[in-house]
Amino acid sequence: MIEWLAAKVSPLVIAAALALGAAALIYLGIARIDGMVDTARQEAIAARDAHWSAQIAEANAKVSAAAASLARLAMQKDAELAEADRKLQDKQTEMEASNAALPGGDGGGISRDRVRLLNQR
């Protein structure tokens, strides 16, 4: 009876073992494919991040260059304004000295010489 049972059950055990082995191989194949898909997704994300990081770095470099250019321009204009202010101060000092050198400063009015001095402005 055991031989009969062993003869009937053996093919079932072998078929079950083969089915279990096939299922294990299918599971490992699916896991491997999932791993490849995840790797490809991570690589695509990394490549896209690198692309946008490069774009951002390029834009930041352009902004920095523009800011430096504007800073140089501002310094140049500041120097020009300082020079113009210095010239005006020199001219005013010169006019005040010329006015003080004119006779009749206590006259209370504007003499012809003072009018000429003012017209030189």
Side-chain angles (χ1 to χ4, degrees):
M1 167 110 168
I2 293 183
E3 290 179 17
W4 178 79
L5 187 61
K8 296 290 183 185
V9 174
S10 285
L12 293 177
V13 170
I14 293 173
L18 286 174
L20 184 63
L25 288 175
I26 289 171
Y27 176 77
L28 290 175
I30 290 173
R32 178 112 180 177
I33 290 171
D34 281 345
M36 289 189 306
V37 168
D38 285 342
T39 301
R41 184 176 60 82
Q42 292 296 333
E43 288 174 357
I45 289 171
R48 201 71 203 149
D49 286 349
H51 169 75
W52 286 114
S53 294
Q55 292 290 325
I56 290 169
E58 182 180 337
N60 286 341
K62 287 179 182 178
V63 167
S64 295
S69 175
L70 288 174
R72 282 191 300 274
L73 182 63
M75 289 184 345
Q76 178 186 359
K77 293 299 179 185
D78 189 41
E80 290 173 5
L81 286 173
E83 179 65 21
D85 187 45
R86 186 192 59 76
K87 286 180 181 179
L88 282 173
Q89 291 295 331
D90 289 348
K91 183 154 178 116
Q92 182 178 356
T93 303
E94 181 184 317
M95 285 181 67
E96 286 174 356
S98 297
N99 185 41
L102 290 176
D106 295 335
I110 296 181
S111 67
R112 184 174 48 182
D113 291 333
R114 283 191 169 72
V115 170
R116 285 183 187 151
L117 184 63
L118 288 173
N119 283 337
Q120 289 178 5
R121 288 177 43 186

